[in-house]
Amino acid sequence: MKRNADEKHIEHVIEHVKKISLNPVPLHGTERTVVAVLGDERDVDQMRISAMPGVDKVMAVLNPYKLSGRETKKENTVINLGDNVTIGGDELSIMAGPCGIESAAQTEAAARAVKASGAKILRGGAFKPRTSPYSFEGLGEEGLKIMHDTAKRHNLKTITEIVDIRDVEVIDKHVDMFQVGARNMQNFNLLKEVGSTNKPILLKRGMSATIKELLLAAEHIMSKGNPNVALCERGIRTFETETRNTLALATVPLVKELSHLPIIVDPSHATGKPSLIGPMSKAAIAAGADGIIVEVHPNPEEALSDADQALTPAMFDSIMHELKPIADAVGRAL
Amino acid sequence: MKRNADEKHIEHVIEHVKKISLNPVPLHGTERTVVAVLGDERDVDQMRISAMPGVDKVMAVLNPYKLSGRETKKENTVINLGDNVTIGGDELSIMAGPCGIESAAQTEAAARAVKASGAKILRGGAFKPRTSPYSFEGLGEEGLKIMHDTAKRHNLKTITEIVDIRDVEVIDKHVDMFQVGARNMQNFNLLKEVGSTNKPILLKRGMSATIKELLLAAEHIMSKGNPNVALCERGIRTFETETRNTLALATVPLVKELSHLPIIVDPSHATGKPSLIGPMSKAAIAAGADGIIVEVHPNPEEALSDADQALTPAMFDSIMHELKPIADAVGRAL
Amino acid sequence: MKRNADEKHIEHVIEHVKKISLNPVPLHGTERTVVAVLGDERDVDQMRISAMPGVDKVMAVLNPYKLSGRETKKENTVINLGDNVTIGGDELSIMAGPCGIESAAQTEAAARAVKASGAKILRGGAFKPRTSPYSFEGLGEEGLKIMHDTAKRHNLKTITEIVDIRDVEVIDKHVDMFQVGARNMQNFNLLKEVGSTNKPILLKRGMSATIKELLLAAEHIMSKGNPNVALCERGIRTFETETRNTLALATVPLVKELSHLPIIVDPSHATGKPSLIGPMSKAAIAAGADGIIVEVHPNPEEALSDADQALTPAMFDSIMHELKPIADAVGRAL
Amino acid sequence: MKRNADEKHIEHVIEHVKKISLNPVPLHGTERTVVAVLGDERDVDQMRISAMPGVDKVMAVLNPYKLSGRETKKENTVINLGDNVTIGGDELSIMAGPCGIESAAQTEAAARAVKASGAKILRGGAFKPRTSPYSFEGLGEEGLKIMHDTAKRHNLKTITEIVDIRDVEVIDKHVDMFQVGARNMQNFNLLKEVGSTNKPILLKRGMSATIKELLLAAEHIMSKGNPNVALCERGIRTFETETRNTLALATVPLVKELSHLPIIVDPSHATGKPSLIGPMSKAAIAAGADGIIVEVHPNPEEALSDADQALTPAMFDSIMHELKPIADAVGRAL
């Protein structure tokens, strides 16, 4: 309560807390009164209490998420994509491929390369959200089919980004795993739609989302019955402009404490610089990440999107070799 | 080019620039070579050039937007909502109303109050995007109808937020103006859909969007043929936690330099504190904003969403009285 | 306490709280136990309690500052510089002058101009902290003398930045008011030294300092016995690069709520663009600021520092004319 | 130049560039004219050109630092502290010890513990800069003496933070290496004073400093003749509040590209959480850091400062064991 809150205001808050079946405990301090609330505060509309006269602020003790929280489920979630491909288990998950599916030939070259270097999941975009209205926008369903056929030939699983809620069905039909991009992390209707499918979802952290908000976004998906959510740290926006975003690797061990969900790191979008992707991949695995997702293009210079951050197959292969001893050091299979 | 780029690499870039019909001018400096490009660089895929061997970085001289830029159109855009209600003209635009449409009675009380104090546009949400999956989610089309009927009775124009691309049609049917919220500023498919209607659009700045990105988002809408875009500064996310967001008012005069589009300020979401809304409204108008959008609820404590930042009708009325002399001081009608 | 904290850990915290003469109240909730602490928590070393086994986090209810807080002193602080020049009273304080004192002629021209337009305080730097080691570093004491003599001739008060703790005495001798720059806001030894003089101090907000940290920095000065502190909002560092910093004007009314100290706005450093200084000055006064501090140079193009953000005397004069009706509108004298 | 700049303005800029002995090349594009400048732009006062009529903006191609840049010196700098203790060579540097030197007994216990686990450099503060004016401020020279004697007994090198320019001499007398803290990264006078000694300096990145600014701060030290600068990434301030700061590990490989100076990581201040220090130490080494600096206290709960982020000797020992295989994986000795 505010320092100058009068008895009537305090009483009003206490009555409200009782009305919603929680237990209020007024604590009269030297400067002000605090009304402690016993019970599950997640049931409280904190904003309503904030709006009451005499109230200074409402401080939450419990985290706002439940299903995604470690307190609800102690053991790690392991997502099973079939054919012994898992996310969050002993084996690290390597997702690699071009930013955009451009043609059957480009996809074939990318798939062959990433498979040869050890990746088990092929990434690629068919619907490209572009910051400029004048850019390549993807092949659509045709791209999904190319991806599906190519991956099957190489015994790879597939993941693609969904950018339009109207595409849930078509992606669900052709692809093994949804990716929800940073810009859609708080597109709650989209979260619920993918939460209503039974496909696993890679949920990327929003560019300015807190870790709590990321877990709360996972909660939206899980509240629809789909428990197969993997989180993805892909950098946040800060004042630093030398890298595209600021990769916040402490997110990895912190998420491991707060949640049972797997966490993947995307060093490509996080840094925007091919030369930094290797060191950041190693750092991610050393920090405890369950895998990485990187952009690999058979010929980056000819890429129709994000050309500047794509690895060549040779660079990717070299990174995979460097990752092996780090994986060993932290007891993970690769 | 990088300091150690060899002739072959420089030649490769020069060839590429020629191929896309622009004019390359190599400048050999003391430490490195720079290839200047004459022509409209917006036609260049900068990322592809960045990916070429020997290239250090690509620096853009022109702004990436055209239609929304002041260079393309010198005179201010004035949006006409009919019945002499305009945005961007001499008269300031005041948009006010509850966060969510909760009932006919609540909407009626809100509409009557904001009209009496001088607002000409009623705001209210029918589809609420909520950070928690366990919160009130709006009345949907029923809410839009209530809003429409109530506004008509009070001779008010209406604005509501669109949060799902599938709702374009139903909102277009009942409401005078779309609001694209901060979370959807880069939902490019949604931007194009509203850009394909002929309703005016209030485009809110994303929580971590730069001013350039805001103008580029407007470009997405305008590229579909809809020129009636008003921008909205609603605060950005920073390290400061005393206010919900950080209201960046320098955006207002800067947008006026860079663009011909009107700009509105939202002090409610920017601060999250009713006591700061008055001062920030005055500051916004003094800075040259074309209006404000604020949350007013007949009984904030009972509000089903954003209760803590809603103004009471009395507070709103008092702010409107204080705004008048500021409007006079900057030569705007209110 | 953590969810799994055992009785022994809880008892340990309770014992510690008793030992430091505060009153612990254990609250047993559904998921975890909270130990409320009654008494003045500012006496508690929160980090020590955080380090105790079983403790999850320590949440503070009271603000960490006292002397600068509105709760300690209800009425506004008015700083008196003599000759009817005050800061924080009815009259707005206008501080203007060049970034650096470069010569007697330049200072004379600047002083004459700012005085003619209505400023009462001449600003100017004699010791320039420069980001590049290869730049102009100021005239030192010679500059202070020029400033003092020129100001006296024009009946102006003076303010200059202190950048080296060893300069307290020489500045105290020649100048009416210290300015502590953004980079020194948490240079606690310097704060204490200027707090030990009896000259007023303008304390600028650090580039990444929270409002609470700003008030706590003022506390360092005031704890040495000097109550004459004026705060200064000069923009914070964010991801936006179109302006030099992001001017956070909501700081103004918020500081007025939290503290009794005056607050000045610096639109020059905040924006770095002369064309934005006028609109932001008007916005600052409309928001309730007690004055502004701006850079004015007789010939910006020849300025030896910060040339790009200096106003010409004509631009400054024009801004002062525009400020007048805004001052009237908020009931302040100019 | 601005789109509407006239010939006279362009000519004025060209004349100025010639006057400062550089070579101007006007490029007439479709929308505006660009004046390219050949020569070492670091000699140009960009702000003066920015202030010229008709100029839109000045874009730098070269980096603003020289001595700290990789372009000036290709091979890595290796700092030699004597007795085979180096920073930046094959062996990783482990700096460990309490936040503050509190007593001979505490220092002895800390020194013995960190030595036993493999650290070669003892860290500890004698002059504590505290955000609250009501906290423990360190033992001063007495603390330095304790540190010196204890370290000698255990054959450890020492590092301590300098917070007051007046303490250069006394620290130089007792300690092997200066630490310049985040708050002083742009205290240019202090940088020059330590740059005038011949002791190595650990320069911590400011809380909101860019990587370029960090390298420019190193330039201030090096311009005084002291080449022994090690940089330190210790987290930057962002909107995320779950960790004290956001550890930006991409800084490590980026600094390795841009500079020849060693770089150390401080996971204690970066995260503020003991449980995250291990994973972040491993990630730092995997990313290519030359070492870590961590807080270790014989009894964190009794620490007089930063108690909440100190490791116990047992935790530190365990982290050192986990670091070994990571060091092996990246080919570094530990």
Side-chain angles (χ1 to χ4, degrees):
Chain A
M1 307 299 300
K2 285 181 183 151
R3 192 187 171 92
N4 58 358
D6 61 28
E7 251 336 292
K8 197 185 58 189
H9 294 151
I10 296 171
E11 205 45 50
H12 181 59
V13 169
I14 288 173
E15 284 312 309
H16 177 77
V17 171
K18 283 182 183 160
K19 207 163 62 189
I20 55 178
S21 301
L22 295 173
N23 183 13
V25 181
L27 301 164
H28 301 287
T30 47
E31 291 196 11
R32 53 177 79 204
T33 293
V34 170
V35 179
V37 175
L38 302 190
D40 190 340
E41 74 201 29
R42 281 176 287 237
D43 300 337
V44 185
D45 184 341
Q46 295 179 21
M47 290 187 186
R48 287 179 82 162
I49 298 183
S50 294
M52 292 181 177
V55 171
D56 185 36
K57 61 184 163 203
V58 178
M59 296 167 88
V61 172
L62 298 182
N63 285 322
Y65 46 86
K66 268 185 172 172
L67 301 174
S68 55
R70 179 71 81 179
E71 301 198 335
T72 307
K73 177 167 177 284
K74 287 215 170 352
E75 63 281 11
N76 287 339
T77 286
V78 179
I79 298 173
N80 194 339
L81 286 163
D83 300 319
N84 291 321
V85 180
T86 57
I87 302 173
D90 280 345
E91 192 174 32
L92 294 174
S93 302
I94 310 296
M95 308 174 181
C99 178
I101 298 295
E102 297 164 9
S103 69
Q106 169 245 21
T107 309
E108 171 62 23
R112 192 184 313 123
V114 304
K115 175 73 179 186
S117 299
K120 294 198 173 164
I121 303 172
L122 179 67
R123 55 147 294 159
F127 306 93
K128 301 305 305 169
R130 305 301 299 279
T131 41
S132 164
Y134 311 118
S135 308
F136 173 65
E137 301 198 330
L139 297 181
E141 185 169 6
E142 180 56 27
L144 297 179
K145 285 179 185 161
I146 291 174
M147 197 178 177
H148 176 267
D149 294 348
T150 313
K152 201 163 179 189
R153 232 174 6 253
H154 292 281
N155 200 19
L156 288 161
K157 298 294 168 188
T158 53
I159 181 170
T160 202
E161 183 175 355
I162 178 160
V163 299
D164 189 320
I165 199 168
R166 297 167 303 191
D167 297 331
V168 173
E169 209 175 324
V170 68
I171 293 179
D172 193 16
K173 186 172 153 199
H174 297 293
V175 181
D176 297 313
M177 188 170 184
F178 286 99
Q179 175 183 316
V180 174
R183 291 199 190 97
N184 282 306
M185 193 202 84
Q186 293 194 317
N187 185 336
F188 300 117
N189 288 5
L190 177 61
L191 297 181
K192 284 176 185 165
E193 289 287 345
V194 296
S196 300
T197 73
N198 55 15
K199 286 277 167 70
I201 293 135
L202 183 70
L203 175 66
K204 291 187 128 183
R205 180 183 189 179
M207 196 151 64
S208 61
T210 63
I211 293 171
K212 271 194 184 153
E213 287 169 341
L214 174 60
L215 291 171
L216 208 43
E219 193 86 359
H220 276 267
I221 296 172
M222 298 171 82
S223 73
K224 285 295 173 184
N226 188 332
N228 291 316
V229 180
L231 306 172
C232 180
E233 165 64 38
R234 45 76 72 202
I236 55 174
R237 183 165 271 189
T238 70
F239 58 83
E240 178 62 68
T241 55
E242 289 286 313
T243 48
R244 186 168 300 173
N245 293 285
T246 295
L247 184 61
L249 277 184
T251 305
V252 172
L254 195 57
V255 158
K256 290 287 175 197
E257 285 181 17
L258 299 173
S259 174
H260 51 84
L261 298 174
I263 180 160
I264 301 294
V265 169
D266 176 349
S268 300
H269 286 85
T271 65
K273 298 202 173 181
S275 63
L276 303 181
I277 294 175
M280 286 303 98
S281 296
K282 289 189 276 183
I285 301 308
D290 295 300
I292 55 169
I293 180 165
V294 291
E295 296 195 358
V296 179
H297 192 285
N299 184 357
E301 194 184 312
E302 297 298 320
L304 299 181
S305 53
D306 277 6
D308 57 340
Q309 72 189 28
L311 297 173
T312 60
M315 291 166 78
F316 177 61
D317 194 60
S318 157
I319 288 172
M320 287 295 282
H321 276 95
E322 289 182 32
L323 275 185
K324 186 70 177 66
I326 302 283
D328 290 346
V330 295
R332 299 293 284 265
L334 181 66
Chain B
M1 305 300 300
K2 285 181 184 150
R3 191 190 172 92
N4 58 359
D6 60 29
E7 251 336 292
K8 195 186 58 189
H9 293 151
I10 296 171
E11 205 46 50
H12 180 59
V13 170
I14 288 173
E15 285 313 308
H16 177 75
V17 171
K18 282 181 184 161
K19 206 164 62 190
I20 55 178
S21 301
L22 295 173
N23 182 13
V25 181
L27 301 165
H28 302 287
T30 48
E31 292 196 10
R32 54 176 79 201
T33 293
V34 170
V35 180
V37 175
L38 303 190
D40 190 339
E41 73 200 29
R42 280 174 289 237
D43 301 336
V44 184
D45 184 342
Q46 296 180 20
M47 290 185 187
R48 288 180 79 162
I49 299 183
S50 294
M52 293 181 178
V55 172
D56 184 37
K57 62 185 163 201
V58 179
M59 297 168 87
V61 172
L62 299 181
N63 285 321
Y65 46 86
K66 269 185 172 172
L67 302 173
S68 55
R70 179 70 82 179
E71 302 197 334
T72 306
K73 178 167 176 282
K74 287 215 168 355
E75 63 281 11
N76 287 339
T77 286
V78 180
I79 298 172
N80 194 340
L81 288 163
D83 300 320
N84 291 320
V85 180
T86 58
I87 302 174
D90 281 345
E91 192 175 29
L92 294 173
S93 303
I94 310 296
M95 309 173 181
C99 178
I101 299 294
E102 298 163 7
S103 69
Q106 170 245 22
T107 309
E108 171 63 24
R112 192 186 309 121
V114 304
K115 174 75 178 185
S117 300
K120 294 198 172 164
I121 303 171
L122 179 67
R123 56 149 293 159
F127 306 93
K128 301 304 305 169
R130 305 301 298 278
T131 41
S132 165
Y134 311 118
S135 308
F136 173 65
E137 301 200 329
L139 297 182
E141 184 168 7
E142 179 56 26
L144 297 179
K145 285 178 185 164
I146 291 175
M147 197 179 178
H148 176 268
D149 293 349
T150 313
K152 200 162 180 188
R153 228 167 18 248
H154 292 282
N155 200 21
L156 288 162
K157 298 295 167 188
T158 53
I159 182 169
T160 202
E161 183 175 354
I162 177 160
V163 299
D164 190 320
I165 199 168
R166 298 168 301 190
D167 297 332
V168 172
E169 209 175 324
V170 68
I171 293 179
D172 192 18
K173 187 171 153 198
H174 296 294
V175 180
D176 297 313
M177 189 169 182
F178 286 99
Q179 176 183 316
V180 174
R183 290 197 192 100
N184 283 305
M185 192 201 86
Q186 292 193 319
N187 185 337
F188 300 117
N189 288 5
L190 177 61
L191 297 182
K192 284 175 185 167
E193 288 287 345
V194 296
S196 301
T197 72
N198 56 16
K199 287 277 167 69
I201 293 135
L202 183 70
L203 176 66
K204 291 186 129 183
R205 180 183 189 178
M207 197 149 67
S208 60
T210 62
I211 292 170
K212 270 194 184 152
E213 288 169 341
L214 174 61
L215 291 171
L216 207 45
E219 194 86 359
H220 276 267
I221 297 172
M222 298 171 83
S223 72
K224 286 294 173 185
N226 187 333
N228 290 316
V229 179
L231 307 172
C232 180
E233 164 66 39
R234 45 76 74 202
I236 56 175
R237 181 165 273 190
T238 70
F239 59 82
E240 178 62 67
T241 55
E242 289 287 313
T243 49
R244 186 168 300 175
N245 292 286
T246 295
L247 185 60
L249 276 183
T251 305
V252 173
L254 194 57
V255 159
K256 289 288 176 195
E257 285 181 16
L258 299 173
S259 173
H260 52 85
L261 298 174
I263 181 160
I264 301 295
V265 169
D266 176 349
S268 300
H269 286 85
T271 65
K273 299 203 172 180
S275 63
L276 303 181
I277 294 174
M280 286 303 97
S281 296
K282 287 189 277 184
I285 301 308
D290 294 299
I292 55 169
I293 180 164
V294 291
E295 295 196 358
V296 179
H297 193 285
N299 185 357
E301 194 184 313
E302 298 298 320
L304 299 181
S305 53
D306 278 6
D308 56 341
Q309 71 190 28
L311 296 172
T312 60
M315 289 166 80
F316 177 62
D317 195 60
S318 158
I319 288 172
M320 288 294 282
H321 275 95
E322 289 181 31
L323 276 185
K324 186 69 177 70
I326 302 283
D328 289 347
V330 295
R332 300 293 284 264
L334 180 65
Chain C
M1 305 299 301
K2 285 182 183 149
R3 191 188 171 92
N4 58 358
D6 61 29
E7 251 334 293
K8 195 185 58 186
H9 294 151
I10 297 171
E11 203 46 48
H12 180 60
V13 169
I14 288 173
E15 284 312 309
H16 177 76
V17 171
K18 282 181 184 161
K19 206 163 62 191
I20 55 177
S21 302
L22 295 173
N23 183 13
V25 180
L27 300 165
H28 301 287
T30 47
E31 291 197 12
R32 53 176 78 204
T33 294
V34 170
V35 179
V37 175
L38 304 190
D40 190 339
E41 73 201 29
R42 280 176 288 237
D43 299 337
V44 184
D45 184 343
Q46 294 180 21
M47 290 186 186
R48 288 179 80 162
I49 298 182
S50 294
M52 291 180 178
V55 172
D56 185 36
K57 61 186 161 198
V58 178
M59 297 167 87
V61 173
L62 298 182
N63 284 321
Y65 46 87
K66 270 185 170 172
L67 301 173
S68 55
R70 179 71 81 180
E71 302 197 336
T72 308
K73 178 167 176 282
K74 288 216 167 357
E75 65 281 9
N76 287 339
T77 286
V78 180
I79 298 172
N80 195 337
L81 287 162
D83 300 320
N84 291 320
V85 180
T86 58
I87 302 173
D90 282 344
E91 192 174 30
L92 294 173
S93 302
I94 310 296
M95 307 173 182
C99 178
I101 298 295
E102 297 164 8
S103 69
Q106 169 244 22
T107 309
E108 172 63 24
R112 193 185 310 122
V114 304
K115 174 74 179 185
S117 300
K120 294 197 173 165
I121 302 171
L122 178 67
R123 57 148 292 159
F127 306 94
K128 301 305 304 169
R130 305 301 299 279
T131 40
S132 164
Y134 311 118
S135 307
F136 173 66
E137 302 199 329
L139 297 181
E141 184 167 6
E142 180 56 26
L144 297 179
K145 285 178 185 166
I146 291 174
M147 197 179 181
H148 177 268
D149 293 348
T150 312
K152 201 163 178 188
R153 235 174 4 253
H154 292 281
N155 201 20
L156 288 160
K157 297 296 168 187
T158 53
I159 181 169
T160 202
E161 182 175 355
I162 178 160
V163 299
D164 189 319
I165 199 167
R166 298 168 301 190
D167 297 331
V168 173
E169 209 174 324
V170 67
I171 293 179
D172 192 18
K173 187 172 153 198
H174 297 293
V175 181
D176 297 313
M177 189 169 182
F178 286 99
Q179 176 184 315
V180 174
R183 292 199 190 98
N184 282 304
M185 194 202 85
Q186 292 193 319
N187 184 338
F188 300 117
N189 287 6
L190 177 61
L191 297 182
K192 284 174 184 169
E193 289 286 344
V194 295
S196 300
T197 72
N198 56 17
K199 287 279 167 68
I201 294 136
L202 183 70
L203 176 66
K204 291 187 128 182
R205 181 183 189 178
M207 198 150 64
S208 61
T210 63
I211 293 171
K212 270 194 184 152
E213 288 169 339
L214 174 60
L215 291 171
L216 207 45
E219 194 87 357
H220 276 267
I221 297 172
M222 298 170 83
S223 71
K224 285 296 174 182
N226 187 334
N228 291 315
V229 179
L231 307 172
C232 180
E233 164 65 38
R234 45 75 74 201
I236 56 175
R237 182 166 272 188
T238 70
F239 58 83
E240 178 63 67
T241 55
E242 289 287 313
T243 48
R244 185 167 301 173
N245 293 285
T246 295
L247 185 60
L249 277 183
T251 306
V252 172
L254 194 58
V255 158
K256 288 288 175 195
E257 285 181 16
L258 299 174
S259 173
H260 51 85
L261 299 174
I263 180 159
I264 302 295
V265 169
D266 176 349
S268 300
H269 285 85
T271 65
K273 297 203 173 179
S275 63
L276 303 181
I277 295 175
M280 286 303 97
S281 295
K282 288 190 276 184
I285 300 308
D290 295 300
I292 54 169
I293 179 165
V294 292
E295 295 196 358
V296 179
H297 193 284
N299 185 358
E301 193 185 315
E302 297 298 321
L304 298 181
S305 53
D306 278 5
D308 58 340
Q309 72 190 30
L311 297 172
T312 61
M315 291 167 79
F316 177 61
D317 195 60
S318 157
I319 288 171
M320 288 295 282
H321 276 96
E322 290 180 32
L323 276 185
K324 187 68 178 67
I326 302 285
D328 290 346
V330 296
R332 300 294 285 265
L334 181 67
Chain D
M1 307 298 302
K2 286 180 183 151
R3 191 188 172 91
N4 59 358
D6 60 29
E7 252 335 293
K8 194 185 59 190
H9 294 151
I10 296 171
E11 205 45 52
H12 180 58
V13 169
I14 288 173
E15 285 313 309
H16 178 75
V17 171
K18 283 182 183 161
K19 207 164 61 191
I20 56 177
S21 302
L22 295 173
N23 183 13
V25 181
L27 300 165
H28 301 287
T30 47
E31 291 196 13
R32 53 177 78 204
T33 294
V34 170
V35 180
V37 175
L38 303 189
D40 190 338
E41 74 201 30
R42 283 175 285 237
D43 300 337
V44 184
D45 184 341
Q46 295 180 20
M47 291 185 185
R48 288 179 80 161
I49 298 182
S50 294
M52 292 181 179
V55 172
D56 185 35
K57 62 184 162 201
V58 178
M59 297 168 87
V61 172
L62 298 182
N63 285 322
Y65 47 86
K66 270 186 171 173
L67 301 174
S68 54
R70 178 72 80 180
E71 303 197 334
T72 306
K73 178 168 176 281
K74 288 216 169 354
E75 63 281 11
N76 287 339
T77 286
V78 180
I79 298 172
N80 194 338
L81 286 163
D83 300 320
N84 291 321
V85 180
T86 57
I87 302 174
D90 281 345
E91 192 174 31
L92 294 173
S93 302
I94 310 296
M95 307 174 182
C99 179
I101 299 294
E102 297 165 8
S103 69
Q106 170 245 21
T107 308
E108 171 62 24
R112 192 184 311 123
V114 304
K115 174 74 179 185
S117 300
K120 294 199 173 164
I121 303 171
L122 178 67
R123 55 147 294 158
F127 305 94
K128 301 304 306 168
R130 306 301 299 278
T131 41
S132 164
Y134 311 119
S135 309
F136 173 66
E137 302 199 328
L139 297 182
E141 185 169 6
E142 180 56 27
L144 296 179
K145 285 179 185 165
I146 291 174
M147 195 177 181
H148 177 269
D149 293 348
T150 313
K152 202 165 178 184
R153 237 179 357 258
H154 292 281
N155 201 20
L156 288 161
K157 298 295 167 188
T158 53
I159 182 171
T160 201
E161 183 176 356
I162 177 160
V163 300
D164 190 318
I165 199 168
R166 297 168 302 189
D167 297 331
V168 172
E169 210 175 323
V170 68
I171 293 179
D172 192 17
K173 188 173 153 196
H174 296 293
V175 181
D176 297 313
M177 189 170 182
F178 286 98
Q179 175 183 317
V180 174
R183 289 197 192 100
N184 282 306
M185 192 201 85
Q186 291 194 319
N187 185 337
F188 300 117
N189 288 5
L190 177 61
L191 297 181
K192 284 175 185 165
E193 289 286 345
V194 295
S196 300
T197 72
N198 54 17
K199 287 278 167 69
I201 293 135
L202 182 71
L203 176 65
K204 292 186 127 183
R205 181 183 189 179
M207 197 151 64
S208 60
T210 63
I211 293 171
K212 270 194 184 153
E213 288 169 340
L214 174 61
L215 291 171
L216 207 45
E219 193 85 359
H220 276 267
I221 296 172
M222 298 171 83
S223 71
K224 284 296 173 183
N226 187 333
N228 291 315
V229 179
L231 307 172
C232 180
E233 164 65 40
R234 44 76 74 202
I236 56 175
R237 181 166 271 190
T238 71
F239 58 82
E240 178 62 69
T241 55
E242 288 288 313
T243 48
R244 185 168 302 170
N245 293 286
T246 295
L247 184 60
L249 277 184
T251 306
V252 173
L254 194 57
V255 158
K256 289 288 176 196
E257 285 181 16
L258 299 173
S259 174
H260 52 84
L261 298 174
I263 180 160
I264 301 295
V265 169
D266 176 349
S268 301
H269 286 86
T271 65
K273 298 203 173 181
S275 64
L276 304 181
I277 294 174
M280 286 303 98
S281 296
K282 288 189 277 184
I285 300 309
D290 295 299
I292 54 169
I293 180 165
V294 292
E295 296 197 357
V296 178
H297 193 284
N299 184 357
E301 194 185 310
E302 297 298 319
L304 298 181
S305 53
D306 279 4
D308 57 342
Q309 72 190 29
L311 297 172
T312 60
M315 290 167 80
F316 177 62
D317 194 59
S318 157
I319 288 172
M320 288 295 282
H321 276 95
E322 290 182 31
L323 275 185
K324 186 70 177 69
I326 301 285
D328 289 346
V330 295
R332 300 294 285 265
L334 181 65

